[in-house]
Amino acid sequence: AGAMAAAGNAFLRARGRTLTAFRPDAEYQWKGPFYFIQGADPQFGLMKAWTHGDTNNGDDEWGEEIKLAEQAVQAVNKLNPKPKFFVLCGDLVHGMPGSRWKKNQEQDLKDVLKNTDQDIPLVFVSGNHDIGNTPTKETIDDYCKNWGDDYFSFWVGGVFFLVLNSQLYFDSSKCPELRHAQDTWLDEQLAVAANQKCRHIIVFQHIPLFLRKPDEDHDYFNLDKSVRQEIMEKFHKAGVRAVFSGHYHRNAGGSYKGLEMVVSSAIGCQLGQDTHGLRVVVVTEEKVVHRYYSLTELGSHGIEKELLDMLAE
């Protein structure tokens, strides 16, 4: 039971608004280049629902997604040197809160993810399918019991990471006080980052601020223009280097005044022309460099020499 308890805790490392896998006092200083892996939308259940044209309740099978998630974990486990962490940017499963298959989907995902190398912490980001398009205190509490805090920050080697609950920016009508709490917390965190003279600030959230252009129209796949403008300006002023997200099931991105918006395609169902994949993100003293790999490519060839060379510098 000891090993199971340990494996169980791997899903609850985001506690007390930080990540227990890293001790901040040991991580405030820059120690040289490192990298992490970003994945998004394993979304167990979407592939069948999508092919059957019934995205509300056609998600009663997810064997295909299980295989893809296993492939992702195997690819990450083989990497040498090891990534500092593996972040999943939301939509862990397809079932919405309260839907019939959600619990089974979550259990199956946990069974796959617990095979991730013990030395590679898992970092979870809440998506719309995890807590609902219009989240409530109840749906967020349920997510936190399963996967850890819905927003938190952590330090790795002089770099400050922020994980946000983007549903609170998409529609907080049923829990305005929670949106307010995240806003207050975020301002405090950005002040801390400024004080600590961090090397970079990097943000993870499920829904992108924008897909290609900062002033594009609002739709399902990005944030409302007024909210977006406010967040972009806040991030720009704080010196945030990049925002990584998923949700779009395609690769996309752009920039706003030096802030890079990176949208990564899914481990699971593809809605465009991309392959099931993961993004390798290398953090050097000067910059944040990233590349999207198909699961097959990463699993069989690993990281290309050009990126490995940046790590060795």
Side-chain angles (χ1 to χ4, degrees):
M4 266 318 289
N9 294 342
F11 304 118
L12 296 176
R13 282 181 165 162
R15 277 279 171 260
R17 302 285 173 222
T18 189
L19 197 69
T20 58
F22 297 105
R23 285 194 14 244
D25 54 339
E27 297 292 343
Y28 285 143
Q29 300 304 315
W30 174 254
K31 302 190 187 89
F34 63 88
Y35 81 103
F36 62 86
I37 300 292
Q38 182 217 5
D41 304 87
Q43 206 158 342
F44 283 20
L46 176 59
M47 288 170 93
K48 182 183 176 193
W50 187 254
T51 32
H52 286 240
D54 182 0
T55 50
N56 291 329
N57 45 27
D59 61 336
D60 58 346
E61 289 173 25
W62 49 91
E64 199 58 38
E65 283 97 340
I66 289 177
K67 286 198 199 96
L68 290 161
E70 285 173 343
Q71 202 184 341
V73 167
Q74 284 157 7
V76 169
N77 284 348
K78 274 165 76 174
L79 295 171
N80 185 17
K82 289 185 204 300
K84 286 285 185 187
F85 58 87
F86 178 16
V87 58
L88 282 166
C89 281
D91 282 3
L92 304 172
V93 302
H94 184 64
M96 284 282 186
S99 65
R100 186 173 169 193
W101 306 107
K102 189 175 183 69
K103 287 276 168 265
N104 302 55
Q105 290 167 352
E106 289 186 325
Q107 191 51 55
D108 284 355
L109 178 61
K110 286 182 173 181
D111 287 342
V112 172
L113 291 176
K114 66 173 182 246
N115 296 316
T116 310
D117 186 317
Q118 293 292 300
D119 296 330
I120 305 170
L122 292 164
V123 180
F124 298 104
V125 181
S126 63
N128 57 308
H129 284 263
D130 305 309
I131 59 176
N133 286 321
T134 306
T136 64
K137 185 180 183 308
E138 290 67 37
T139 63
I140 292 174
D141 283 348
D142 187 59
Y143 171 88
C144 294
K145 277 197 206 75
N146 259 303
W147 304 103
D149 287 347
D150 58 323
Y151 61 89
F152 54 96
S153 64
F154 60 99
W155 289 83
V156 177
V159 177
F160 191 48
F161 292 94
L162 290 160
V163 170
L164 297 179
N165 177 345
S166 55
Q167 290 316 115
L168 295 175
Y169 295 125
F170 190 80
D171 181 359
S172 63
S173 57
K174 289 189 178 161
C175 53
E177 72 291 351
L178 296 182
R179 155 110 193 241
H180 178 70
Q182 177 171 257
D183 283 340
T184 307
W185 173 88
L186 177 58
D187 290 340
E188 287 165 0
Q189 294 301 304
L190 293 172
V192 166
N195 269 340
Q196 286 289 350
K197 309 255 187 295
C198 61
R199 184 62 57 193
H200 303 290
I201 306 172
I202 294 173
V203 173
F204 300 117
Q205 58 184 57
H206 178 62
I207 299 184
L209 296 167
F210 57 89
L211 299 172
R212 295 202 162 76
K213 294 196 199 70
D215 59 349
E216 70 198 16
D217 287 340
H218 166 57
D219 69 16
Y220 175 77
F221 288 113
N222 60 20
L223 290 181
D224 182 77
K225 272 177 132 169
S226 59
V227 178
R228 179 197 316 168
Q229 189 54 45
E230 193 184 320
I231 298 173
M232 289 189 309
E233 223 9 70
K234 179 181 287 193
F235 285 175
H236 164 65
K237 287 203 175 92
V240 174
R241 177 57 62 105
V243 176
F244 288 88
S245 64
H247 189 52
Y248 193 42
H249 296 254
R250 285 155 280 216
N251 286 309
S255 63
Y256 171 81
K257 298 185 180 174
L259 164 72
E260 191 184 3
M261 179 68 241
V262 185
V263 185
S264 288
S265 198
I267 291 170
C269 188
Q270 300 300 312
L271 300 183
Q273 302 308 306
D274 294 295
T275 51
H276 307 280
L278 293 168
R279 193 173 291 276
V280 172
V281 186
V282 173
V283 183
T284 72
E285 200 159 4
E286 299 305 321
K287 48 191 193 245
V288 175
V289 183
H290 51 87
R291 182 175 162 212
Y292 187 83
Y293 289 82
S294 75
L295 296 179
T296 316
E297 186 186 5
L298 193 63
S300 53
H301 302 296
I303 301 171
E304 72 207 272
K305 186 174 184 309
E306 192 187 347
L307 292 184
L308 288 172
D309 287 347
M310 294 177 88
L311 289 171
E313 275 164 26

